[in-house]
Amino acid sequence: MPVLSVFFLWRPFYRILVLFSISIFGIQAANADMQTGNLKISEIEIRATTIGMSATAGYLTIANHGMSADRLMGVKADFAQKSMIHEMTNIDGVAKMRHVMGGVEVPAHGSVALKPGGLHLMFTGVKGTLEAGKMLSVTLVFEKAGAQKLHVIVKKPADISAMSGDAKTKKKHAH
Ligand SMILES: [Cu+2]
């Protein structure tokens, strides 16, 4: 009898505990950092497009907790005709973009940031308009970690967390 009463006393707490755990995991699922092997990939943010815009860019950070370097070799996306890794350079005040050949190294115990004004994912021949809030997916291809299909979120340029204050004010990266 005392055992039973303890059980009934605990039942409501148990239920609260279950609900609490569900809410925690729900939050983790929404905050979409992704762990694959030694790589931790941040939520991928893609710039929203407006009517008539057929090119856009994507930003993310890849951290490598492993003992050996990996390499981001390429990117694939269903919503674009062509997906590439690009780099933005600013030489004497002239901003230029180039296609990064041979991929981007993710150093051992290091990280690489693809952000406005530097390295970025570049999508051309984008089908339709990418509105803010839209969920899409891209596949990142790594030399060692292989192909990783990841969710991406479309954001208004002002909402992209990878935007540095500098990039925001200059509005240089106009694609
Ligand atoms: Cu570009």
Side-chain angles (χ1 to χ4, degrees):
M1 200 58 183
V3 172
L4 212 63
S5 58
V6 165
F7 175 75
F8 280 112
L9 253 171
W10 272 96
R11 250 181 78 140
F13 291 104
Y14 180 72
R15 194 173 291 172
I16 287 163
L17 201 71
V18 168
L19 287 173
F20 186 63
S21 324
I22 289 168
S23 66
I24 286 175
F25 287 115
I27 289 161
Q28 280 180 343
N31 178 14
D33 273 10
M34 198 266 199
Q35 181 86 40
T36 169
N38 289 321
L39 300 182
K40 192 178 180 191
I41 304 166
S42 73
E43 178 176 65
I44 303 172
E45 300 172 307
I46 288 186
R47 245 169 213 273
T49 63
T50 50
I51 295 163
M53 252 177 99
S54 64
T56 192
Y59 312 107
L60 69 149
T61 301
I62 307 159
N64 181 0
H65 302 292
M67 303 277 277
S68 59
D70 204 338
R71 186 169 278 272
L72 175 63
M73 301 302 291
V75 54
K76 294 174 194 166
D78 289 341
F79 59 85
Q81 276 169 10
K82 210 171 174 195
S83 308
M84 299 156 275
I85 303 165
H86 263 191
E87 186 166 30
M88 188 88 163
T89 51
N90 197 320
I91 300 158
D92 300 326
V94 182
K96 279 186 179 168
M97 279 200 302
R98 67 179 186 96
H99 186 178
V100 177
M101 306 299 272
V104 174
E105 193 188 57
V106 190
H109 301 296
S111 69
V112 62
L114 282 77
K115 58 176 197 269
L119 288 164
H120 55 275
L121 303 177
M122 184 82 199
F123 305 99
T124 59
V126 174
K127 297 155 195 163
T129 306
L130 305 183
E131 289 126 14
K134 199 168 189 172
M135 295 292 288
L136 300 164
S137 66
V138 300
T139 300
L140 297 182
V141 183
F142 292 93
E143 195 174 58
K144 289 176 186 153
Q148 301 291 336
K149 194 171 184 180
L150 301 149
H151 290 290
V152 304
I153 184 150
V154 179
K155 289 189 173 178
K156 283 186 272 182
D159 294 338
I160 289 175
S161 60
M163 289 286 249
S164 65
D166 189 51
K168 251 184 203 172
T169 48
K170 279 186 185 164
K171 279 191 174 174
K172 266 277 165 67
H173 203 81
H175 62 247

